[in-house]
Amino acid sequence: MTVATSLLPAPAQHGPWVAFTLRLIREKPLGAIGGALFVLFFFCGLFADVISPYGMNETNLLERLQAPSFSHWFGTDHLGRDVLSRVLVGAQLSMLVGFLAAGLATLVSIVLGVASGYFGGKVDMLIQRFVDAWMIFPDLLLLIAVISVVGAGIPQIVIVLGLLYGIAGSRIVRGSVIGVKENMHTHAARSMGARTMHILIRHILPNIMPVVIVLFTTRVGATILTEAGLSFLGLGIPPPAPTWGGMLSGTGRTYMYLGPWLALAPGLCLTIVVYAINVYGDALRDLLDPRMRGSR
Amino acid sequence: MTESNTESALLEVRDLKVHFPVHEGVLIQRQVGSVKAVDGVSFTLQRGETFGLVGESGCGKSTTALAVLKMVNVSGGQIIFEGQDIATLNESAMHPLRKRMQMVYQDPFGSLNPRMKVGDIIGEPLVVHGVSRRSSEYKQRVRQLIDQVGLLPDMAGRYPHEFSGGQRQRIGIARALALNPALLICDEPVSALDVSIQAQVVNLLMDLQRDLNLTVLFIAHDLSVVRHISDRIGVMYLGKIVEIAPRDELFDHPRHPYTRALLDAVPVPNPIIEAGRAQQLIRGEVPSVRNPPAGCHFQPRCPLADSRCREQRPVLTSHGLASVACHNV
């Protein structure tokens, strides 16, 4: 006993979150940069109303289509609106849609995946055949069909994207639930007479959290990108709200030769945010999966 | 004599059968056979005794344990626990009885939830059976259990991955004891541990068994461990018990040819005796449980098999202190 005790690792000096962040920076520097960039955009979006130098719909026809300068960092558009301010508010909309839709998607994935994986049998069979049927349709086709029926708007987009990604993602949750269900500690809990809810909350959910966290981060990127795609097609959040996708398709495309910054600003933001969240998600997956530990 | 005294029996298993159906077909599934993991097992556990169940991998030892805990569907037979047949009880009727029987698992790594602190793991059975985690009763009991299995009080706040295999097994034992069970089922509790640690854990189990007057069903394939801890021993082969005898009787006078072969397979730690002793090694493989041989299950590998063994299935009959299922004893 005492021998074994002395062999225990020294207790960590930091809390688990600090220790994890340090490990992320040390082992996955690219992922850490991605995470930092994403946090930067997140706060830009959160405080867009405070930090944007001009109002998002504030027009100044005397300063139309101005190139980037000190007074307008990202230039102005055809109505003299400040592009930086619009991009910042666009970040806010992207983050709002991204987080809400990814949150809903993760919730749907957990509910379907846990029900399917834990109860198995006929429940599993029913849910999985439904998921199969759902996944046959191309995402965009389904989105366009639903949005044209229910109309564009933030709540509709969040619900549709949430369901779309949630149902597909339930497969991933199901797989890890099946793995955890077979662990002996789940078995032990059942043999001591634990109810299903107790087992789900204390044994299944905590052990699938790494998968859920990764699922959520990658879904944030995916929903932001899809929302931009929808706005580009005119099916997203309706104007005059300055979404990145809407800015690209509207002024960005029309004035591409007169003012390339009109397309560059939202396009670059979109690229950077999605790339950042994806490398961050990849790094999280590698760090949280014990099987990937030590590999690159 | 061993199977008679029903009043002091805590657990009596009569003709227990656990058959797993085998299905074939993609859309329309039909049953094409069954795996008879446990096929007519009977034994009795007297209060306060340790009953060892031995046999090679796949012979149905663990399935027997799971059936007693009602963790697999029982296909037939009776499991009489504290005078009540639990084989046919549903889960809600089983719930209060689950307090009375607890299990210690083989795998010290998989059997503890990696996301729960040790204190919470040990106290989990209390929570499941309605004791509040904030009550002083709970805290006191967890402290007491940690002490009882030889861990230190400050270990309650740590996670299982910080412990060695032997320590983890102590945690598993503390969890099993939390509800003061009458029956403790140990499914190969030391086979995943180093030999030096095995002795510590086995001795801990023996001390606890004596102090708490536990009845223990001890499953193992390591004969020396079973000999050390058990009062009586049952030998299983292919879903059936082939011999039950008091410990010393079984080791000194093994009657069933399979028991003899098992004991012969244990090496003697003396090269001169080891080289000179007559060994009865069994040939061949264990037959499939989906399609067991006719007559005696051991007959294809048995040196004593004759025509009767190939046709007639032997039943457990008393021979002195032991009960043996063999025509040629």
Side-chain angles (χ1 to χ4, degrees), chain A residues 1 4-5 8-9 125 183-195 198 202-204 206-210 288, chain B residues 66 71 95 98 102 105 110-116 120 124-125 128-129 133 150-151 155 158 162-164 167 170 175:
Chain A
M1 281 310 306
T5 316
L8 291 175
M125 159 90 174
N183 281 350
M184 284 321 272
H185 61 82
T186 313
H187 188 280
R190 277 199 297 142
S191 82
M192 69 180 71
R195 312 278 176 187
H198 174 94
R202 299 285 287 168
H203 291 268
I204 304 284
N207 283 294
I208 62 167
M209 269 340 261
L288 290 173
Chain B
L66 293 180
M71 296 298 288
H95 189 75
R98 293 208 177 278
Q102 291 284 309
Y105 292 84
S111 61
L112 306 180
N113 187 344
R115 311 244 160 209
M116 276 166 85
D120 294 333
E124 192 182 14
V128 164
H129 285 274
R133 283 181 64 203
L151 295 173
M155 291 177 175
R158 301 211 197 137
E162 300 175 52
F163 292 87
S164 66
Q167 287 173 316
R170 286 171 193 265
R175 171 177 65 184

Side-chain angles (χ1 to χ4, degrees), chain B residues 180-195:
Chain B
N180 280 317
L183 174 65
L184 189 66
I185 297 177
C186 303
D187 186 4
E188 311 227 11
V190 296
S191 59
L193 305 176
D194 288 347
V195 178

Side-chain angles (χ1 to χ4, degrees), chain A residues 14-286:
Chain A
H14 312 291
W17 289 101
V18 179
F20 185 79
T21 310
L22 288 176
R23 217 179 120 216
L24 177 74
I25 293 168
R26 203 167 45 242
E27 290 181 30
K28 301 278 171 190
L30 188 63
I33 292 169
L37 274 174
F38 187 75
V39 169
L40 179 73
F41 271 93
F42 179 80
F43 280 106
C44 282
L46 197 65
F47 298 113
D49 301 329
V50 186
I51 54 175
S52 38
Y54 302 88
M56 65 171 181
N57 285 326
E58 198 180 301
T59 55
N60 186 347
L61 292 176
L62 294 175
E63 298 187 347
R64 297 168 58 207
L65 290 174
Q66 291 207 338
S69 64
F70 281 112
S71 54
H72 297 285
W73 288 10
F74 290 180
T76 60
D77 69 1
H78 67 298
L79 296 173
R81 296 177 294 194
D82 180 49
V83 175
L84 174 64
S85 302
R86 289 178 68 75
V87 164
L88 284 172
V89 179
Q92 188 174 44
L93 289 171
S94 285
M95 290 296 159
L96 187 70
V97 170
F99 272 86
L100 287 181
L104 179 67
T106 310
L107 196 69
V108 170
S109 294
I110 290 176
V111 170
L112 287 181
V114 168
S116 195
Y118 186 76
F119 296 107
K122 288 206 167 63
V123 180
D124 184 34
M125 159 90 174
L126 271 175
I127 294 177
Q128 289 313 311
R129 293 302 78 76
F130 169 72
V131 174
D132 282 341
W134 180 276
M135 296 207 307
I136 286 172
F137 296 103
D139 293 357
L140 208 55
L141 190 71
L142 211 60
L143 278 170
I144 292 170
V146 177
I147 297 287
S148 26
V149 175
V150 298
I154 293 181
Q156 291 95 312
I157 288 187
V158 165
I159 291 171
V160 172
L161 286 180
L163 285 179
L164 184 77
Y165 286 110
I167 291 172
S170 71
R171 274 289 158 79
I172 296 164
V173 175
R174 173 180 174 265
S176 49
V177 168
I178 289 175
V180 176
K181 189 178 78 165
E182 297 306 323
N183 281 350
M184 284 321 272
H185 61 82
T186 313
H187 188 280
R190 277 199 297 142
S191 82
M192 69 180 71
R195 312 278 176 187
T196 306
M197 273 325 271
H198 174 94
I199 294 173
L200 291 181
I201 291 168
R202 299 285 287 168
H203 291 268
I204 304 284
L205 283 182
N207 283 294
I208 62 167
M209 269 340 261
V211 174
V212 170
I213 290 169
V214 173
L215 194 64
F216 177 75
T217 43
T218 51
R219 287 307 186 240
V220 170
T223 47
I224 287 176
L225 198 59
T226 313
E227 185 277 318
L230 279 178
S231 293
F232 187 85
L233 295 174
L235 293 164
I237 301 156
T243 61
W244 290 344
M247 289 166 78
L248 274 174
S249 71
T251 53
R253 224 159 30 117
T254 322
Y255 298 93
M256 195 184 283
Y257 298 105
L258 284 172
W261 56 87
L262 289 174
L264 271 178
L268 272 179
C269 284
L270 190 61
T271 311
I272 292 171
V273 163
V274 174
Y275 180 71
I277 188 93
N278 278 335
V279 291
Y280 180 61
D282 277 356
L284 277 189
R285 190 197 59 212
D286 291 356

